[in-house]
Amino acid sequence: MRKTLYLKFLLGYFIFGFFGFIAVATFVSSMTMEHLTREKADALYKEATLVANTYAADLYNNETSLDTVKKQLDALDTYLSANLWIINPSGRMILDSKAPVDVENETVISDFNPTVTGSSYYTVGNFFGCFTEEQLSVFAPITSGYKVRGYVVIHYPMSSLTASCNGLLNISYLMLVVLFLLSLIILIFFTEMVYLPLRKITEATEQYAAGNMHYEFQVESEDEMGYLAASLNYMASEIARTEDDQKKFVANVSHDFRSPLTSIKGYLEAMLDGTIPPELYGKYLGIVLNETERLTKLTNSLLVLNNLNTRGMMLDKSIFDINRIIRDTAASFEGTCRKKTIAIELILTSDELYVNADVGKIQQVLYNLLDNAIKFSHHDSIIKVETTEKHNKIFVSVKDSGIGIPKDDLKLIWDRFYKSDLSRGKDKKGTGLGLSITREIISAHGEHINVISTEGVGSEFIFSLPVADDNED
Ligand code: ADP
């Protein structure tokens, strides 16, 4: 059987109970008995000393009669529930509280030895064979004229002490049971706060290990367990999302590769089998070339994206004039703009505007934004590129008055391979990767890019860049 944490805890709980019982039955029992014996012996010794110094001493000094002392002893016998003796140093019994005075028949304790108590003042046993039951016997010497004349001995049955000891032990057992039951609360807490959440977490990790990353579970506590469960849930959902993204990515890449390849293959086959006559080769080879250009663009974009995607993208930062880069990039589109009679208007703050960024990558961003703006602009329109400086940031805006982006598409345009339905007619070569590359680059700089667009009116893309610090090189 699998040793669960719960079983181990339960086992620990019963071991605790068992050892608690053993401790009470052994140590506590012997310590209580010892304590009670010593306490009783103390009390009896005081009584014995009192008797030895008063009546018993008077008896030896012939100041009182045997009967008077006997009466006193009888009274004490009842009061203490003990047996009181007065004996001679030789062991001859003078008085016994439990027997009538009998001068004729003397009782002598054979082998009586007053040093039997050793360094203490009491002894436990049958007192030189006088009793069948164990007794606690306390000695007090009766002295007169610096001589020991006799002893006052008080015997107390050990069975009475054992009875009081058992009474006290019963209380200890009861307390132990109460404690044991109370500690059940810990078990309940453990079950609720540790065991059950842990079982849910273990189940979840088994599901994740089996590849079911969409498995969801809930641990409703706001402690470390809850935090662990939430982190695990988050981790799994992130892995699931990455897996889904990856699947979508591969599906998109294959699809985008397949369509140009199919058309290239189709045209080439048609040329080979004569379906396309040689005089039309020029036209169809132009189409084939276009398709290969599309494939090249797609491959390049994928490579760029792959490089950008690795965490902690290496940026080759330097200080450069963003206005100059904007002018250069805009100039590179001169040919395309002329074809569509589109004008690019540059509204640049001051002559030079220095930023601290990766010049090559920012150039790519500008290229992507201008390329889109031209692609989706109508003929005879104007594209505005503007720079502004605000709160130690440079904002670059690329604004067109083209087809615009439908409201529902605004969030999706940053996704890889996303192309809005509206754009498909205008842009057949598009890969849907341009904006996702753009956003990755801006994020790597710790900056933001936003879009404002109205369908049929136009779009404006604005991104920020850090102003170059004067102290920087
Ligand atoms: P592509 O390389 O195909 O242009 P992008 O990622 O750059 O891919 O753009 C994704 C989609 O966003 C485009 O297909 C288009 O639908 C939309 N889009 C981007 N820029 C503009 C714009 N200036 N005007 C209208 N739509 C745009």
Side-chain angles (χ1 to χ4, degrees), residues 145-162:
Y146 303 108
K147 260 185 84 186
V148 177
R149 309 289 298 273
Y151 293 95
V152 172
V153 188
I154 306 181
H155 305 287
Y156 186 79
M158 282 304 279
S159 55
S160 304
L161 272 182
T162 315

Side-chain angles (χ1 to χ4, degrees), residues 295-407:
L295 282 176
T296 314
K297 196 174 164 195
L298 190 65
T299 320
N300 286 340
S301 300
L302 282 174
L303 285 175
V304 172
L305 208 57
N306 195 38
N307 284 339
L308 295 185
N309 236 356
T310 42
R311 257 173 208 254
M313 181 203 306
M314 292 294 286
L315 290 178
D316 185 12
K317 279 191 181 181
S318 62
I319 292 173
F320 61 90
D321 175 16
I322 185 76
N323 286 348
R324 187 177 57 81
I325 301 298
I326 291 172
R327 280 188 209 103
D328 290 353
T329 318
S332 70
F333 282 101
E334 220 180 277
T336 334
C337 287
R338 201 178 301 126
K339 274 189 214 154
K340 282 182 90 174
T341 51
I342 288 174
I344 300 181
E345 190 181 327
L346 305 182
I347 310 159
L348 307 176
T349 299
S350 70
D351 201 30
E352 291 172 337
L353 205 54
Y354 286 94
V355 293
N356 186 5
D358 184 323
V359 62
K361 294 201 168 78
I362 295 304
Q363 206 158 13
Q364 167 104 53
V365 167
L366 281 168
Y367 184 90
N368 289 354
L369 294 181
L370 273 171
D371 187 40
N372 280 348
I374 295 166
K375 265 194 309 199
F376 301 114
S377 277
H378 305 296
H379 281 261
D380 308 310
S381 58
I382 295 174
I383 292 169
K384 286 182 187 165
V385 184
E386 200 173 339
T387 52
T388 38
E389 189 178 349
K390 220 189 280 174
H391 309 307
N392 228 21
K393 294 254 180 238
I394 304 288
F395 292 89
V396 182
S397 134
V398 178
K399 188 177 179 181
D400 64 63
S401 44
I403 59 169
I405 305 166
K407 210 169 161 227

Side-chain angles (χ1 to χ4, degrees), residues 121-136:
Y121 46 84
Y122 68 91
T123 169
V124 175
N126 61 6
F127 203 73
F128 307 103
C130 299
F131 295 94
T132 46
E133 210 188 321
E134 264 205 333
Q135 302 285 323
L136 165 71

Side-chain angles (χ1 to χ4, degrees), residues 372-373 375-376 400 403-405 413 418-420 423 427 430-436 459 461:
N372 280 348
K375 265 194 309 199
F376 301 114
D400 64 63
I403 59 169
I405 305 166
I413 55 168
Y418 185 79
K419 287 185 261 182
S420 79
S423 69
D427 170 36
T431 59
L433 292 172
L435 284 182
S436 88
S459 316
F461 287 84

